Amino acid sequence: MKRLFLRVSCLLAVCAGAGQSQTLSPHWGELTANDFVKALAQSGGTCALPFGIVEKHGPSGPLATDLIDVRYATELATKQSYTIIFPEYYFGQIFEARHQPGTIAYSTKLQLELLQETVSEMARNGCKKVIIISGHGGNTNLIQFFAQTQLDTPKDYLVYAITGGGGGNGAAPNPAAAPSKPGVDGHAGEGEISNVMASRPELAHPERAGEESGKDQKRLDLPQGVYTGIWWYASFPNHYQGDAAGANAARGKAMAEAKANQIAAAIRAIKSDTMGPRLQKEFFEAAGHPTDTKQ
Ligand SMILES: [Zn+2]
């Protein structure tokens, strides 16, 4: 009898859990305070911070292209593996587009301070695994540097970052996600504008793609391995790389699904990661008295 009772409760618990996953929004700002607590339990203490930017996206894309695209892929991913999505965040590195209308470029100091305070506030609210999902190539170094700075003082949370592409789920690439021809992808090119068309087609203007050049102007002549911050402006002064003329919603949908699969695989792996938190705790303890570390 007791066994039967347990089984019934278990079934009910599963049903309640399944119901929850259908009704709880993944969006932080759409949850009530009470539902936020339930959402945290459902997300296993993970929260996503899709990191966009506001910058020119050639002649075809809206200023928030990267923010729209990364939030859409993240939202799709939460249907596979639930997590809480932090509100719109676009306070990143974009100095190289300051000469273009509509760009919002915060100071270096503020970028780091705001990211730290945002992550700290997420953690204080129970997000013990913060997943930063980069939607903008110009933020890659910032995000990786920020993740490294997490080791400066003890933390009770872990920052994970998804900054690269990568298939992630091992599935064969969908031919619908392939570019129409070589050289069309790049900043504000066919891929990015197709992605916008997957979720917000009314904001994309591929018919304007030819109004500016997205070709590499190759104005710098430096040997390989020499880096300078002006390299991007030297190559792509229109803040446009590639050609968005062939952008279409079908390609955007296929790309967004592939990205969502990659993000979902990462969320699943991060949820089950016990080694990262354990090693970080061990590291902070050892860093407090390095002379005791075995040599
Ligand atoms: Zn972009």
Side-chain angles (χ1 to χ4, degrees), residues 36-53:
F36 180 80
V37 178
K38 293 177 191 160
L40 264 180
Q42 193 169 311
S43 74
T46 66
C47 296
L49 179 59
F51 197 162
I53 206 77

Side-chain angles (χ1 to χ4, degrees), residues 55 57 66 187 192:
E55 59 166 334
H57 267 79
D66 290 353
H187 172 74
E192 284 198 331

